Coordinates of all heavy atoms in Angstrom, one line a residue:
M29 N 125.5 58.7 84.2 CA 125.5 59.7 85.3 C 124.8 59.2 86.5 O 123.7 58.6 86.4 CB 124.8 61.0 84.8 CG 124.8 62.1 85.8 SD 124.3 63.6 84.9 CE 123.1 64.2 86.0
V30 N 125.5 59.3 87.7 CA 124.9 58.8 88.9 C 124.3 60.0 89.7 O 125.0 61.0 89.8 CB 126.0 58.1 89.7 CG1 125.4 57.6 91.1 CG2 126.6 56.9 89.0
R31 N 123.1 59.8 90.2 CA 122.5 60.8 91.0 C 122.4 60.4 92.4 O 122.1 59.2 92.7 CB 121.1 61.1 90.5 CG 121.0 61.7 89.1 CD 119.6 62.0 88.8 NE 119.5 62.5 87.5 CZ 118.4 63.1 87.0 NH1 117.3 63.2 87.7 NH2 118.4 63.5 85.7
K32 N 122.7 61.3 93.3 CA 122.6 61.0 94.7 C 121.1 61.2 95.1 O 120.4 62.0 94.6 CB 123.4 62.0 95.5 CG 124.9 61.8 95.5 CD 125.5 62.8 96.5 CE 127.0 62.5 96.7 NZ 127.6 63.4 97.6
R33 N 120.7 60.3 95.9 CA 119.3 60.4 96.5 C 119.3 61.4 97.6 O 120.2 61.4 98.4 CB 118.9 59.0 97.0 CG 118.6 58.0 95.9 CD 118.0 56.8 96.5 NE 117.8 55.8 95.5 CZ 117.0 54.8 95.6 NH1 116.3 54.6 96.7 NH2 116.9 53.9 94.7
E34 N 118.3 62.1 97.6 CA 118.1 63.0 98.8 C 117.6 62.3 99.9 O 116.9 61.3 99.8 CB 117.1 64.1 98.4 CG 117.6 65.1 97.4 CD 116.6 66.2 97.2 OE1 115.9 66.6 98.1 OE2 116.6 66.8 96.1
K35 N 118.0 62.7 101.1 CA 117.5 62.1 102.4 C 116.0 62.3 102.4 O 115.4 63.3 102.0 CB 118.1 62.7 103.6 CG 119.6 62.5 103.7 CD 120.1 63.2 104.9 CE 121.6 63.1 105.0 NZ 122.1 63.8 106.2
K36 N 115.3 61.2 102.9 CA 113.9 61.4 103.1 C 113.6 62.5 104.1 O 114.2 62.6 105.1 CB 113.2 60.1 103.6 CG 113.1 59.0 102.5 CD 112.3 57.9 103.0 CE 112.1 56.9 101.8 NZ 111.2 55.8 102.2
G37 N 112.6 63.3 103.8 CA 112.2 64.3 104.7 C 113.0 65.6 104.5 O 112.7 66.6 105.1
Q38 N 114.0 65.6 103.6 CA 114.8 66.8 103.4 C 114.0 67.8 102.6 O 113.5 67.4 101.5 CB 116.1 66.5 102.7 CG 117.0 67.7 102.4 CD 118.3 67.3 101.8 OE1 118.6 66.1 101.6 NE2 119.1 68.3 101.4
P39 N 113.9 69.0 103.0 CA 113.1 70.0 102.2 C 113.7 70.2 100.9 O 114.9 70.2 100.7 CB 113.1 71.2 103.1 CG 113.5 70.8 104.5 CD 114.4 69.6 104.3
P40 N 112.8 70.5 99.9 CA 113.4 70.7 98.5 C 114.0 72.1 98.4 O 114.6 72.4 97.3 CB 112.1 70.6 97.6 CG 111.0 70.9 98.5 CD 111.4 70.4 99.9
F41 N 113.9 72.9 99.4 CA 114.4 74.3 99.3 C 115.0 74.6 100.7 O 114.4 74.3 101.7 CB 113.3 75.3 99.0 CG 113.8 76.7 98.9 CD1 114.5 77.1 97.8 CD2 113.6 77.6 99.9 CE1 115.0 78.4 97.6 CE2 114.0 78.9 99.8 CZ 114.7 79.3 98.6
G42 N 116.2 75.2 100.7 CA 116.8 75.6 102.0 C 116.1 76.7 102.7 O 115.3 77.4 102.2
M43 N 116.5 76.9 104.0 CA 115.9 77.9 104.8 C 116.2 79.3 104.2 O 117.4 79.6 103.9 CB 116.5 77.8 106.2 CG 116.0 78.8 107.2 SD 114.3 78.4 107.5 CE 113.9 79.6 108.8
P44 N 115.2 80.1 103.9 CA 115.4 81.4 103.3 C 116.3 82.3 104.2 O 116.1 82.3 105.4 CB 114.0 82.0 103.2 CG 113.1 80.8 103.3 CD 113.8 79.8 104.2
K45 N 117.2 83.1 103.6 CA 118.0 84.1 104.3 C 117.9 85.5 103.7 O 118.3 86.4 104.3 CB 119.4 83.6 104.4 CG 120.2 83.8 103.1 CD 121.7 83.5 103.4 CE 122.5 83.8 102.1 NZ 123.9 83.6 102.4
G46 N 117.4 85.6 102.5 CA 117.3 86.9 101.9 C 116.3 87.0 100.8 O 116.0 85.9 100.2
I47 N 115.9 88.2 100.4 CA 115.0 88.4 99.3 C 115.5 89.5 98.4 O 115.9 90.6 99.0 CB 113.5 88.7 99.7 CG1 113.0 87.7 100.7 CG2 112.6 88.9 98.5 CD1 111.7 88.2 101.3
V48 N 115.4 89.4 97.1 CA 115.7 90.5 96.2 C 114.3 90.7 95.5 O 113.8 89.7 94.9 CB 116.8 90.2 95.2 CG1 117.0 91.4 94.2 CG2 118.1 90.0 96.0
L49 N 113.8 91.9 95.5 CA 112.6 92.2 94.8 C 112.8 93.3 93.8 O 113.4 94.3 94.1 CB 111.6 92.7 95.9 CG 110.2 93.1 95.4 CD1 109.5 91.8 94.9 CD2 109.4 93.6 96.6
L50 N 112.3 93.0 92.5 CA 112.6 94.0 91.4 C 111.2 94.3 90.8 O 110.4 93.5 90.5 CB 113.4 93.3 90.4 CG 114.8 92.9 90.8 CD1 115.5 92.0 89.7 CD2 115.7 94.0 91.2
S51 N 111.1 95.6 90.5 CA 110.0 96.1 89.7 C 110.4 96.1 88.3 O 111.3 96.8 87.9 CB 109.6 97.5 90.2 OG 108.6 98.0 89.4
T52 N 109.6 95.4 87.4 CA 109.9 95.4 86.0 C 108.6 95.8 85.2 O 107.5 95.8 85.8 CB 110.3 94.0 85.5 OG1 109.2 93.1 85.5 CG2 111.4 93.4 86.4
P53 N 108.7 96.2 84.0 CA 107.5 96.5 83.2 C 106.5 95.4 83.1 O 105.3 95.6 83.0 CB 108.1 96.9 81.8 CG 109.5 97.3 82.1 CD 110.0 96.5 83.2
A54 N 107.0 94.1 83.2 CA 106.2 93.0 83.1 C 105.6 92.6 84.5 O 104.7 91.7 84.5 CB 106.9 91.8 82.5
G55 N 106.0 93.1 85.6 CA 105.5 92.8 86.9 C 106.6 92.7 87.9 O 107.8 93.1 87.6
W56 N 106.3 92.2 89.1 CA 107.2 92.1 90.2 C 108.0 90.8 90.2 O 107.4 89.7 90.2 CB 106.5 92.3 91.5 CG 106.0 93.7 91.7 CD1 104.8 94.1 91.3 CD2 106.7 94.8 92.2 NE1 104.6 95.5 91.6 CE2 105.8 95.9 92.2 CE3 108.0 94.9 92.8 CZ2 106.2 97.1 92.7 CZ3 108.3 96.2 93.3 CH2 107.5 97.3 93.2
R57 N 109.3 90.8 90.1 CA 110.2 89.7 90.1 C 110.8 89.5 91.5 O 111.1 90.5 92.2 CB 111.3 89.8 89.1 CG 110.8 90.0 87.7 CD 110.1 88.9 87.0 NE 111.0 87.7 87.0 CZ 110.6 86.5 86.6 NH1 109.4 86.3 86.3 NH2 111.5 85.5 86.6
H58 N 111.1 88.3 91.9 CA 111.8 88.0 93.2 C 112.8 87.0 93.0 O 112.8 86.1 92.2 CB 110.8 87.6 94.3 CG 110.1 86.3 94.0 ND1 110.8 85.1 94.2 CD2 108.9 86.0 93.5 CE1 110.0 84.1 93.9 NE2 108.9 84.6 93.5
S59 N 113.8 87.0 93.9 CA 114.8 86.0 94.1 C 114.9 85.7 95.6 O 115.1 86.7 96.4 CB 116.2 86.3 93.6 OG 116.1 86.5 92.2
V60 N 114.7 84.5 96.0 CA 114.8 84.1 97.4 C 116.1 83.4 97.6 O 116.3 82.4 96.9 CB 113.6 83.3 97.9 CG1 113.7 82.9 99.3 CG2 112.3 84.0 97.6
L61 N 117.0 83.9 98.5 CA 118.3 83.3 98.7 C 118.1 82.4 99.9 O 117.5 82.7 100.9 CB 119.3 84.3 98.9 CG 119.3 85.5 97.9 CD1 120.2 86.6 98.4 CD2 119.7 85.0 96.6
A62 N 118.8 81.2 99.9 CA 118.7 80.2 101.0 C 120.1 80.1 101.6 O 121.1 80.3 101.0 CB 118.3 78.9 100.4
V63 N 120.1 79.7 102.9 CA 121.3 79.5 103.6 C 122.2 78.5 103.1 O 123.4 78.5 103.2 CB 121.1 79.3 105.2 CG1 120.4 80.4 105.8 CG2 120.3 78.0 105.4
D64 N 121.7 77.5 102.3 CA 122.5 76.4 101.7 C 123.0 76.8 100.4 O 123.6 76.0 99.7 CB 121.7 75.1 101.6 CG 120.5 75.2 100.7 OD1 120.3 76.3 100.1 OD2 119.8 74.2 100.6
G65 N 122.8 78.1 100.0 CA 123.3 78.6 98.7 C 122.3 78.5 97.6 O 122.6 79.0 96.5
G66 N 121.2 77.9 97.8 CA 120.2 77.8 96.7 C 119.5 79.1 96.5 O 119.6 80.1 97.3
M67 N 118.8 79.2 95.4 CA 118.0 80.4 95.0 C 116.7 80.0 94.3 O 116.7 79.0 93.5 CB 118.9 81.2 94.1 CG 118.2 82.6 93.8 SD 119.2 83.6 92.6 CE 120.7 83.8 93.5
L68 N 115.7 80.6 94.6 CA 114.4 80.4 94.0 C 113.9 81.7 93.4 O 113.9 82.8 94.1 CB 113.3 80.0 95.1 CG 111.9 79.9 94.6 CD1 111.7 78.7 93.7 CD2 111.0 79.8 95.9
C69 N 113.7 81.8 92.1 CA 113.4 83.0 91.4 C 112.0 82.8 90.7 O 111.6 81.7 90.4 CB 114.4 83.3 90.3 SG 116.1 83.5 90.9
G70 N 111.3 84.0 90.6 CA 110.0 83.9 90.0 C 109.3 85.3 90.0 O 110.0 86.3 90.2
H71 N 108.0 85.3 89.8 CA 107.3 86.6 89.9 C 106.2 86.5 90.9 O 105.8 85.4 91.3 CB 106.7 86.9 88.5 CG 105.5 86.0 88.1 ND1 105.7 84.7 87.7 CD2 104.2 86.2 88.2 CE1 104.5 84.2 87.4 NE2 103.6 85.1 87.7
L72 N 105.8 87.6 91.4 CA 104.7 87.7 92.4 C 103.4 87.6 91.6 O 103.0 88.6 91.0 CB 104.8 88.9 93.2 CG 106.0 89.0 94.2 CD1 106.1 90.3 94.9 CD2 106.0 87.8 95.2
A73 N 102.7 86.5 91.7 CA 101.5 86.3 91.0 C 100.4 87.2 91.6 O 100.4 87.4 92.8 CB 101.0 84.9 91.0
G74 N 99.5 87.7 90.8 CA 98.4 88.4 91.3 C 98.6 89.9 91.6 O 97.7 90.6 92.0
L75 N 99.9 90.4 91.3 CA 100.2 91.8 91.5 C 100.4 92.4 90.1 O 101.2 91.8 89.3 CB 101.4 92.0 92.3 CG 101.3 91.8 93.8 CD1 102.6 92.1 94.5 CD2 100.3 92.7 94.4
S76 N 99.8 93.5 89.9 CA 100.1 94.2 88.6 C 101.4 94.9 88.6 O 102.0 95.1 89.7 CB 99.0 95.3 88.3 OG 99.1 96.3 89.3
A77 N 101.9 95.2 87.5 CA 103.3 95.8 87.4 C 103.3 97.2 88.1 O 104.3 97.7 88.5 CB 103.7 96.0 85.9
N78 N 102.1 97.9 88.2 CA 102.1 99.2 88.8 C 101.6 99.1 90.3 O 101.2 100.1 90.8 CB 101.2 100.1 88.0 CG 99.8 99.7 87.8 OD1 99.4 98.6 88.3 ND2 99.0 100.5 87.2
A79 N 101.6 97.9 90.9 CA 101.3 97.8 92.3 C 102.2 98.6 93.1 O 103.4 98.8 92.8 CB 101.2 96.4 92.7
D80 N 101.8 99.1 94.3 CA 102.6 99.8 95.2 C 103.7 98.9 95.7 O 103.5 97.8 96.0 CB 101.7 100.3 96.4 CG 102.5 101.2 97.3 OD1 102.7 102.4 96.9 OD2 102.8 100.8 98.4
P81 N 105.0 99.5 95.9 CA 106.1 98.7 96.4 C 105.8 98.1 97.8 O 106.2 96.9 98.0 CB 107.2 99.7 96.5 CG 106.9 100.7 95.5 CD 105.4 100.8 95.5
T82 N 105.1 98.8 98.7 CA 104.8 98.2 100.0 C 103.9 97.0 99.8 O 104.0 96.0 100.6 CB 104.2 99.2 100.9 OG1 103.0 99.8 100.3 CG2 105.2 100.3 101.3
E83 N 103.0 97.0 98.9 CA 102.1 95.8 98.6 C 103.0 94.6 98.1 O 102.8 93.5 98.5 CB 101.1 96.2 97.6 CG 100.0 95.1 97.3 CD 99.0 95.5 96.3 OE1 99.0 96.7 95.9 OE2 98.2 94.7 96.0
A84 N 103.9 94.9 97.2 CA 104.8 93.9 96.7 C 105.7 93.3 97.8 O 105.9 92.1 97.9 CB 105.7 94.4 95.5
Q85 N 106.2 94.2 98.6 CA 107.1 93.7 99.8 C 106.3 92.8 100.7 O 106.7 91.8 101.1 CB 107.6 94.9 100.5 CG 108.7 95.7 99.8 CD 109.1 96.9 100.5 OE1 108.4 97.5 101.4 NE2 110.3 97.4 100.2
A86 N 105.0 93.2 101.0 CA 104.2 92.4 101.8 C 103.9 91.0 101.2 O 103.9 90.0 101.9 CB 102.9 93.1 102.1
A87 N 103.7 91.0 99.9 CA 103.4 89.7 99.2 C 104.7 88.8 99.2 O 104.6 87.6 99.4 CB 102.9 90.0 97.8
A88 N 105.8 89.4 99.0 CA 107.1 88.7 99.0 C 107.4 88.1 100.4 O 107.8 87.0 100.5 CB 108.2 89.5 98.5
A89 N 107.2 89.0 101.4 CA 107.4 88.5 102.8 C 106.4 87.4 103.2 O 106.9 86.4 103.8 CB 107.2 89.7 103.7
A90 N 105.2 87.5 102.7 CA 104.2 86.4 103.0 C 104.6 85.1 102.3 O 104.5 84.0 102.9 CB 102.8 86.8 102.6
M91 N 105.1 85.2 101.1 CA 105.5 84.0 100.3 C 106.7 83.3 101.1 O 106.7 82.1 101.2 CB 105.9 84.4 98.9 CG 106.4 83.2 98.1 SD 107.4 83.7 96.7 CE 108.7 84.6 97.4
V92 N 107.7 84.1 101.5 CA 108.8 83.6 102.2 C 108.4 83.0 103.5 O 108.9 81.9 103.9 CB 110.0 84.6 102.3 CG1 111.1 84.2 103.2 CG2 110.5 84.9 100.9
A93 N 107.6 83.7 104.2 CA 107.1 83.1 105.5 C 106.4 81.8 105.3 O 106.6 80.8 106.1 CB 106.2 84.1 106.2
G94 N 105.6 81.7 104.2 CA 105.0 80.4 103.9 C 106.0 79.3 103.5 O 105.8 78.2 104.0
L95 N 107.0 79.6 102.8 CA 108.1 78.6 102.5 C 108.7 78.1 103.8 O 108.9 76.9 103.9 CB 109.2 79.3 101.6 CG 108.8 79.5 100.1 CD1 109.9 80.3 99.5 CD2 108.7 78.1 99.4
A96 N 109.1 79.1 104.7 CA 109.7 78.7 105.9 C 108.8 77.8 106.8 O 109.2 76.8 107.4 CB 110.2 79.9 106.7
R97 N 107.6 78.2 106.8 CA 106.6 77.4 107.6 C 106.3 76.0 107.0 O 106.4 75.0 107.7 CB 105.3 78.2 107.7 CG 104.2 77.5 108.5 CD 102.8 78.2 108.4 NE 102.3 78.2 107.1 CZ 102.2 79.3 106.3 NH1 102.4 80.5 106.8 NH2 101.7 79.1 105.1
D98 N 106.1 76.0 105.7 CA 105.7 74.7 105.1 C 106.9 73.7 105.0 O 106.7 72.5 105.1 CB 105.1 75.0 103.7 CG 103.8 75.8 103.8 OD1 103.2 75.9 104.8 OD2 103.4 76.3 102.7
F99 N 108.1 74.2 104.7 CA 109.2 73.3 104.4 C 110.1 73.1 105.6 O 110.9 72.2 105.7 CB 110.0 73.8 103.2 CG 109.2 73.7 101.9 CD1 108.8 74.8 101.2 CD2 109.0 72.4 101.4 CE1 108.1 74.7 100.1 CE2 108.3 72.3 100.2 CZ 107.8 73.4 99.5
H100 N 110.1 74.1 106.6 CA 111.1 74.0 107.7 C 110.4 74.1 109.0 O 111.1 74.1 110.1 CB 112.1 75.1 107.5 CG 112.9 75.0 106.3 ND1 113.9 74.1 106.1 CD2 112.8 75.7 105.1 CE1 114.4 74.2 104.9 NE2 113.7 75.2 104.2
E101 N 109.1 74.2 109.0 CA 108.3 74.4 110.3 C 108.9 75.5 111.2 O 109.1 75.3 112.4 CB 108.3 73.0 111.0 CG 107.6 72.0 110.3 CD 107.5 70.6 111.0 OE1 108.1 70.5 112.1 OE2 106.9 69.7 110.5
A102 N 109.2 76.6 110.5 CA 109.9 77.7 111.2 C 109.1 79.0 110.9 O 108.5 79.2 109.8 CB 111.3 77.9 110.8
R103 N 109.1 79.9 111.9 CA 108.6 81.2 111.7 C 109.8 82.2 111.4 O 110.8 82.0 112.0 CB 107.8 81.7 112.9 CG 106.6 81.0 113.2 CD 105.8 81.5 114.4 NE 106.7 82.0 115.5 CZ 106.6 83.2 116.0 NH1 105.8 84.1 115.5 NH2 107.5 83.6 116.9
V104 N 109.6 83.1 110.5 CA 110.6 84.0 110.1 C 110.2 85.5 110.2 O 109.0 85.8 110.1 CB 111.2 83.7 108.7 CG1 111.8 82.4 108.6 CG2 110.1 83.9 107.7
D105 N 111.2 86.3 110.4 CA 111.0 87.8 110.3 C 111.6 88.3 109.0 O 112.7 87.8 108.7 CB 111.6 88.5 111.5 CG 110.9 88.2 112.8 OD1 109.6 88.1 112.8 OD2 111.6 88.1 113.8
V106 N 111.0 89.2 108.3 CA 111.5 89.7 107.1 C 111.7 91.2 107.3 O 110.8 92.0 107.6 CB 110.6 89.5 105.9 CG1 111.1 90.2 104.6 CG2 110.4 88.0 105.6
I107 N 113.0 91.7 107.2 CA 113.3 93.1 107.5 C 113.8 93.7 106.2 O 114.9 93.3 105.7 CB 114.4 93.2 108.6 CG1 114.0 92.5 109.8 CG2 114.7 94.7 108.8 CD1 112.8 93.0 110.5
W108 N 113.1 94.7 105.6 CA 113.5 95.3 104.4 C 114.6 96.3 104.6 O 114.5 97.2 105.5 CB 112.3 95.9 103.7 CG 111.3 94.9 103.2 CD1 110.2 94.4 103.9 CD2 111.4 94.1 102.0 NE1 109.6 93.4 103.2 CE2 110.4 93.2 102.0 CE3 112.3 94.1 101.0 CZ2 110.2 92.3 101.0 CZ3 112.1 93.2 99.9 CH2 111.1 92.3 99.9
D109 N 115.6 96.3 103.7 CA 116.7 97.3 103.8 C 116.2 98.5 103.1 O 115.3 98.5 102.2 CB 117.9 96.7 103.0 CG 118.4 95.5 103.7 OD1 118.4 95.3 104.9 OD2 118.9 94.6 102.9
P110 N 116.8 99.7 103.4 CA 116.4 100.9 102.6 C 116.8 100.7 101.2 O 117.8 100.1 100.9 CB 117.3 102.0 103.3 CG 117.7 101.5 104.6 CD 117.7 100.0 104.5
P111 N 116.0 101.2 100.2 CA 116.3 101.0 98.8 C 117.6 101.7 98.4 O 117.8 102.9 98.8 CB 115.1 101.5 98.1 CG 114.4 102.4 99.0 CD 114.8 102.0 100.4
R112 N 118.4 101.1 97.6 CA 119.6 101.7 97.1 C 119.4 102.4 95.7 O 120.1 103.3 95.4 CB 120.7 100.7 97.0 CG 121.1 100.1 98.3 CD 122.3 99.2 98.2 NE 122.6 98.7 99.5 CZ 123.6 97.9 99.7 NH1 124.4 97.5 98.7 NH2 123.9 97.4 100.9
E113 N 118.4 101.9 95.0 CA 118.0 102.4 93.7 C 116.6 102.2 93.5 O 116.0 101.2 94.0 CB 118.9 101.9 92.6 CG 118.8 100.3 92.5 CD 119.8 99.8 91.5 OE1 121.0 99.8 91.8 OE2 119.4 99.4 90.4
P114 N 115.9 103.0 92.6 CA 114.5 102.8 92.4 C 114.2 101.5 91.8 O 114.9 101.0 90.9 CB 114.2 104.0 91.4 CG 115.3 104.9 91.5 CD 116.5 104.2 92.0
G115 N 113.1 100.9 92.2 CA 112.7 99.6 91.6 C 113.4 98.4 92.1 O 113.2 97.3 91.6
N116 N 114.2 98.5 93.1 CA 115.1 97.4 93.6 C 115.1 97.4 95.1 O 115.6 98.4 95.7 CB 116.5 97.5 93.0 CG 117.4 96.4 93.4 OD1 117.1 95.6 94.2 ND2 118.5 96.3 92.7
W117 N 114.6 96.3 95.8 CA 114.6 96.2 97.2 C 115.3 94.9 97.7 O 115.2 93.9 97.0 CB 113.2 96.3 97.8 CG 112.5 97.6 97.5 CD1 112.5 98.6 98.4 CD2 111.8 98.0 96.4 NE1 111.8 99.7 97.8 CE2 111.4 99.3 96.6 CE3 111.5 97.3 95.1 CZ2 110.7 100.0 95.6 CZ3 110.8 98.0 94.2 CH2 110.4 99.3 94.4
T118 N 115.9 94.9 98.8 CA 116.4 93.7 99.4 C 115.9 93.6 100.8 O 115.6 94.6 101.5 CB 118.0 93.7 99.4 OG1 118.4 94.8 100.2 CG2 118.5 93.7 98.0
A119 N 115.9 92.3 101.3 CA 115.4 92.1 102.7 C 116.2 91.0 103.3 O 116.7 90.1 102.6 CB 113.9 91.7 102.7
Q120 N 116.4 91.0 104.6 CA 117.1 90.0 105.4 C 116.0 89.1 106.0 O 115.0 89.6 106.5 CB 118.0 90.6 106.4 CG 119.0 91.5 105.9 CD 119.9 90.9 104.8 OE1 120.4 89.9 105.0 NE2 120.0 91.6 103.7
V121 N 116.1 87.8 106.0 CA 115.2 86.9 106.6 C 115.9 86.2 107.7 O 116.9 85.6 107.5 CB 114.7 85.9 105.5 CG1 113.7 84.9 106.2 CG2 114.1 86.6 104.3
T122 N 115.3 86.3 108.9 CA 115.9 85.6 110.1 C 114.8 84.8 110.8 O 113.6 85.1 110.7 CB 116.4 86.6 111.1 OG1 115.4 87.5 111.5 CG2 117.6 87.4 110.5
R123 N 115.2 83.7 111.4 CA 114.3 82.9 112.2 C 113.7 83.7 113.3 O 114.4 84.4 114.0 CB 115.0 81.7 112.8 CG 114.1 80.6 113.3 CD 114.9 79.4 113.8 NE 115.4 78.6 112.7 CZ 114.8 77.5 112.3 NH1 113.7 77.1 112.8 NH2 115.3 76.8 111.3
A124 N 112.4 83.7 113.5 CA 111.7 84.5 114.5 C 111.9 83.8 115.9 O 112.1 82.6 116.0 CB 110.2 84.6 114.2
A125 N 112.0 84.6 116.9 CA 112.1 84.1 118.2 C 110.8 83.3 118.6 O 109.7 83.8 118.2 CB 112.3 85.2 119.2
S126 N 110.9 82.2 119.1 CA 109.8 81.3 119.5 C 109.1 81.9 120.8 O 109.8 82.3 121.7 CB 110.2 79.9 119.7 OG 110.7 79.4 118.5
P127 N 107.8 81.8 120.9 CA 107.2 82.1 122.1 C 107.7 81.1 123.2 O 108.1 80.0 122.9 CB 105.7 81.8 121.8 CG 105.5 81.9 120.4 CD 106.8 81.5 119.8
P128 N 107.7 81.5 124.5 CA 108.2 80.7 125.6 C 107.8 79.3 125.6 O 108.5 78.4 126.0 CB 107.8 81.5 126.8 CG 107.5 82.9 126.4 CD 107.1 82.7 124.9
N129 N 106.5 79.0 125.3 CA 106.0 77.6 125.4 C 106.0 76.8 124.2 O 105.3 75.8 124.1 CB 104.6 77.7 126.0 CG 104.6 78.3 127.4 OD1 105.6 78.3 128.1 ND2 103.4 78.7 127.9
Q130 N 106.7 77.3 123.1 CA 106.7 76.6 121.8 C 108.1 76.3 121.4 O 109.0 77.1 121.7 CB 106.0 77.4 120.8 CG 104.5 77.5 121.0 CD 103.8 78.1 119.8 OE1 104.4 78.7 119.0 NE2 102.5 78.1 119.8
Q131 N 108.3 75.3 120.6 CA 109.6 75.0 120.0 C 109.6 75.6 118.7 O 108.6 75.8 118.0 CB 109.8 73.5 119.9 CG 109.9 72.8 121.3 CD 110.2 71.3 121.1 OE1 110.4 70.9 120.0 NE2 110.1 70.6 122.2
P132 N 110.8 75.9 118.1 CA 110.9 76.6 116.8 C 110.4 75.7 115.7 O 110.3 74.5 115.7 CB 112.4 76.8 116.6 CG 113.1 76.1 117.7 CD 112.1 75.7 118.7

């Protein structure tokens, strides 16, 4: 089996474009969707299963903002959609507008 080498400097994860947040009996689960089709799934560490949904949304948004900053040197905005069913939230992630004197 031949493996392609990744380009040097290529981030290991694509630019985030969406979040799915689920409340489960074991805790808060998330899936982060990337523009390149990738997905990162896991749980929100440090939050109890009975944490308030707004607290979980803030933690997920902070995690995604950190991914975008650390891997893509980008600032992002996270906009949560109205919930369609209890215990399930989605959000859209977009690149934040840069201040006038800074580059993205």
Side-chain angles (χ1 to χ4, degrees):
M29 182 166 133
V30 177
R31 292 185 184 191
K32 286 186 172 182
R33 289 188 183 197
E34 290 186 30
K35 294 178 184 177
K36 283 190 175 185
Q38 181 178 354
F41 182 75
M43 184 68 176
K45 74 171 186 176
I47 306 171
V48 177
L49 181 62
L50 302 170
S51 174
T52 71
W56 291 92
R57 304 289 303 171
H58 66 76
S59 293
V60 179
L61 312 170
V63 295
D64 65 1
M67 185 181 301
L68 172 69
C69 300
H71 73 281
L72 293 176
L75 284 181
S76 68
N78 60 357
D80 186 75
T82 55
E83 186 179 355
Q85 288 174 339
M91 178 197 61
V92 168
L95 284 171
R97 180 188 63 245
D98 295 346
F99 292 110
H100 300 281
E101 298 179 356
R103 292 181 328 121
V104 295
D105 292 323
V106 176
I107 307 297
W108 291 96
D109 301 324
R112 294 186 183 182
E113 57 188 72
N116 184 346
W117 294 266
T118 58
Q120 305 303 311
V121 180
T122 57
R123 192 178 285 262
S126 298
N129 294 345
Q130 291 185 348
Q131 295 182 6

